[in-house]
Amino acid sequence: MTEPKKLYVRTFGCQMNVYDSERMSEALGADGYVQTDDIEDAELVVLNTCHIREKAADKVYSDLGRIDQIKRRREAAGQEMTIAVAGCVAQAEGAEIIARAPQVGLVVGPQSYHRLPELVRRAGAAGHLVDTEFPEEDKFAHLPERTTGAAAGGRMLPAGPAAAFLTVQEGCDKFCTFCVVPYTRGMEMSRPVAAIAAEARRLVTRGVRELTLLGQNVNGYHGDGPDGRPWSLAQLIAHLAGIEGLERLRYMTSHPRDMTDDLIGAHRDIEKLMPYLHLPFQAGSDRILAGMNRKHTANDYVRIIDRVRQARPDIALSTDIIVGFPGETEAEFEATLDLVRTVRFAQAYSFKYSPRPGTPAASLDRQVAPEVAAGRLERLQKLLGDQQSSFNAGCIGKVFPVLFEKPGKHAGQLVGRSPYLQAVHATAEADLLGKILPVEISAASFRSLAGVVRMA
Ligand code: SAH
Ligand code: SF4
Ligand code: F3S
């Protein structure tokens, strides 16, 4: 018997890429590859890349330099290595990647992953291959089914993780002026309800208890329902909530414009839908929001949050914020701080504006000086950090159902998630992995909670 080929996958960027990496590994697994954690040992290296900010894209090239050294060492020892660049940098830069980094054998955009085994073979034969088409066919329908055990290239999968991602929507037509996603992921496309439900059921048989439905604009979901009509995200969530053994549902990322009444109502009515909402607002100034083409005002955002909190008073809120968008004045930045103070977030991501090639904002005059943007980011992150710490501190003494997902750093400890997506550490035996148990919270930090399991 020949040794199976070894595959090494490195993932950058958002949860969507985490999901895609799993699907790519499965597609290659069905073609005889087994995964390795040791890059030196790999015949095939896949970098699943992110183009969202300059730093993320640059990281790919510095990695490629290091991987080239490994490839040369392997080749000197008579062993091959194919390097594939997938993801959003692949889509955005295409053949330019090979021009800059000739050690790369394959450049493959996010819409071609179902053809990966074939593309790897063709790249091997041709030396180089670039595939960044947006084909008509639905890649999800052509990726191998997600099953247990033997189907993954003869490799027995370990008992599945308790929480998983499931992409239900891809692409974006919103065209925020700073953002590359509409160019790297293409137009909005929603998967059919039946395909999602089937995948969800298979994941549940693999031990998954919590699903996060993913999409760049997940609340714009409008996939074909079993009745032949387009279903909303709220309808999809209600449908999936009926799957026995699936205990928790989440979704991300949402756009304020698509925060419909039925989705807000779902937070009141569907018990399995967790009290957590990631709703980016990007900036607090209406002039900047207009420049970003966000199509909502700061006040619209506050009104949406009021309605969400009426439906689910304990909901934990998260957001994305950009500082230093071109032309942002001090007063306009202060409006962002004000909006954060008004809403109060349990958690948030904040970034310095990064000009991206081909986006409208990149060619605007009055780019904000990097040191000014850095100062603003620091002030914003201080405020957000204080809010997060105080949200966590407010949990002390409460009892939360915690889904235990993995062993903790210390022996005899497990880490899980609260309904509010906080990491919770507790002393617990390994057989509690994958179970949801009440935990009394005894300590809190900026990053996480600690508590004691209260056995019934
Ligand atoms: N679809 C989501 C998220 C897209 S990317 C949404 O609409 O919110 C994730 C986050 O990266 C964005 O919310 C934004 O805050 C940030 N981001 C996107 N482009 C950026 C850029 N050019 N510079 C800095 N941050 C950016
Ligand atoms: Fe990018 Fe805006 Fe689309 Fe989000 S809504 S992916 S920020 S263009
Ligand atoms: Fe990055 Fe692409 Fe996700 S640019 S954030 S990996 S959609």
Side-chain angles (χ1 to χ4, degrees):
M1 227 179 91
T2 52
E3 279 273 300
K5 292 168 288 181
K6 302 257 175 63
L7 162 70
Y8 178 90
V9 182
R10 185 172 291 167
T11 309
F12 306 86
C14 63
Q15 286 91 345
M16 212 96 166
N17 266 8
V18 175
Y19 175 85
D20 284 348
S21 287
E22 276 174 34
R23 299 299 302 260
M24 283 193 270
S25 303
E26 287 166 3
L28 290 163
D31 197 50
Y33 283 88
V34 293
Q35 258 180 284
T36 174
D37 295 332
D38 180 8
I39 188 167
E40 309 261 348
D41 208 24
E43 267 105 353
L44 176 60
V45 172
V46 177
L47 295 188
N48 192 7
T49 63
C50 174
H51 197 59
I52 201 83
R53 283 167 291 275
E54 196 178 355
K55 241 199 223 154
D58 285 350
K59 180 99 184 39
V60 176
Y61 287 100
S62 56
D63 256 38
L64 281 172
R66 276 192 296 274
I67 297 169
D68 190 32
Q69 301 295 314
I70 301 172
K71 180 176 158 75
R72 282 165 199 264
R73 272 205 297 280
R74 278 183 64 91
E75 283 170 353
Q79 293 165 316
E80 288 177 13
M81 178 186 267
T82 301
I83 304 173
V85 176
C88 291
V89 177
Q91 189 62 46
E93 298 188 359
E96 264 176 66
I97 297 177
I98 293 176
R100 249 179 98 175
Q103 68 273 30
V104 171
L106 173 64
V107 174
V108 52
Q111 299 312 322
S112 301
Y113 295 159
H114 54 300
R115 298 198 290 116
L116 204 51
E118 173 215 329
L119 295 174
V120 170
R121 267 193 289 278
R122 279 175 44 207
H128 291 295
L129 187 70
V130 177
D131 188 317
T132 52
E133 295 297 305
F134 281 103
E136 286 295 305
E137 65 201 11
D138 170 6
K139 71 169 169 192
F140 295 108
H142 295 277
L143 280 162
E145 277 191 3
R146 319 194 68 186
T147 47
T148 43
R155 184 176 65 110
M156 283 306 288
L157 292 168
F165 295 132
L166 202 175
T167 295
V168 303
Q169 180 275 331
E170 200 172 8
C172 179
D173 317 342
K174 295 271 194 299
F175 289 96
C176 300
T177 57
F178 52 81
C179 183
V180 293
V181 170
Y183 312 98
T184 62
R185 294 279 175 164
M187 291 295 102
E188 259 185 62
M189 158 298 190
S190 297
R191 295 177 67 190
V193 172
I196 295 165
E199 188 173 329
R201 281 192 209 96
R202 282 193 292 270
L203 288 168
V204 168
T205 59
R206 229 160 84 169
V208 167
R209 294 289 163 263
E210 172 177 312
L211 273 181
T212 301
L213 310 180
L214 297 181
Q216 269 93 14
N217 259 300
V218 72
N219 59 343
Y221 177 84
H222 56 268
D224 291 339
D227 56 4
R229 300 203 191 145
W231 277 24
S232 67
L233 183 65
Q235 285 173 290
L236 175 67
I237 289 170
H239 185 65
L240 296 177
I243 296 177
E244 206 180 318
L246 182 61
E247 306 295 344
R248 294 175 158 194
L249 284 158
R250 306 178 185 275
Y251 60 93
M252 76 187 309
T253 292
S254 297
H255 192 286
R257 290 259 300 185
D258 294 324
M259 217 50 225
T260 51
D261 289 340
D262 68 340
L263 186 55
I264 294 175
H267 279 283
R268 179 189 54 230
D269 302 330
I270 302 179
E271 214 184 313
K272 289 183 181 178
L273 182 59
M274 291 294 100
Y276 180 92
L277 173 65
H278 180 70
L279 192 65
F281 73 80
Q282 314 297 359
S285 141
D286 289 344
R287 193 188 73 88
I288 296 292
L289 285 168
M292 288 176 161
N293 191 31
R294 286 290 292 180
K295 302 196 176 79
H296 60 81
T297 63
N299 195 29
D300 292 337
Y301 187 82
V302 172
R303 285 209 311 269
I304 293 164
I305 295 299
D306 284 346
R307 280 162 51 222
V308 171
R309 280 192 166 130
Q310 266 163 33
R312 184 76 209 225
D314 65 332
I315 200 155
L317 296 169
S318 164
T319 196
D320 292 345
I321 304 168
I322 295 176
V323 303
F325 184 80
E328 184 188 71
T329 63
E330 181 59 25
E332 285 166 338
F333 166 66
E334 303 263 350
T336 294
L337 295 178
D338 285 343
L339 187 49
V340 170
R341 285 188 201 101
T342 306
V343 175
R344 297 194 67 78
F345 292 95
Q347 200 259 324
Y349 302 90
S350 48
F351 313 97
K352 252 189 306 189
Y353 168 72
S354 167
R356 306 307 292 130
T359 59
S363 51
L364 291 176
D365 297 335
R366 299 177 59 211
Q367 299 281 333
V368 173
E371 60 281 7
V372 173
R376 287 179 189 169
L377 186 63
E378 200 179 315
R379 284 159 65 198
L380 174 62
Q381 289 185 337
K382 167 85 177 64
L383 175 62
L384 291 169
D386 289 348
Q387 290 193 352
Q388 182 167 335
S389 297
S390 84
F391 180 81
N392 287 349
C395 298
I396 294 176
K398 293 186 180 164
V399 178
F400 291 154
V402 170
L403 171 60
F404 286 111
E405 291 177 30
K406 57 182 183 203
K409 276 209 191 94
H410 308 290
Q413 200 190 47
L414 297 181
V415 190
R417 296 266 171 197
S418 76
Y420 309 104
L421 205 62
Q422 297 144 299
V424 182
H425 302 259
T427 303
E429 297 296 327
D431 62 352
L432 297 184
L433 277 175
K435 299 209 164 63
I436 299 174
L437 291 160
V439 174
E440 185 174 336
I441 305 303
S442 52
S445 69
F446 165 71
R447 245 174 240 301
S448 64
L449 306 177
V452 179
V453 179
R454 292 273 169 252
M455 291 302 232

